[in-house]
Amino acid sequence: RSPLRGCINDVKAMSGFLVSYFGFHNNPQQMMILTDETPQKPTKENILNGFRWLIQGECAILVIYIYIYIYI
């Protein structure tokens, strides 16, 4: 199994872009990030929980940006 350094760097860059250009905050209330380096790993269960978190959100305006990087 090879490390996904490029993928993790892309996720970090994308989250920085969302914070810098669209005013998101890099906190658990606004952004969920799952990588091999985060406390929550990108398992099937955590990804499904992430979708549940999105649809159960209680905000007036919902912006969903899903960024998936898969290495096969």
Side-chain angles (χ1 to χ4, degrees), residues 9-71:
N9 290 336
D10 288 348
V11 169
K12 290 177 181 178
M14 183 55 65
S15 67
F17 174 77
L18 293 172
V19 169
S20 297
Y21 290 95
F22 294 104
F24 285 89
H25 299 281
N26 195 357
N27 62 50
Q29 290 76 34
Q30 289 197 356
M31 195 177 295
M32 179 181 288
I33 298 174
L34 303 173
T35 72
D36 290 341
E37 292 183 349
T38 56
Q40 287 188 304
K41 305 302 179 215
T43 63
K44 177 182 177 181
E45 180 181 359
N46 287 339
I47 292 167
L48 291 175
N49 285 337
F51 282 111
R52 288 183 196 100
W53 172 76
L54 284 172
I55 61 175
Q56 292 172 357
E58 297 182 8
C59 46
I61 299 173
L62 179 63
V63 175
I64 299 174
Y65 185 86
I66 300 171
Y67 183 75
I68 299 174
Y69 202 114
I70 299 172
Y71 181 84

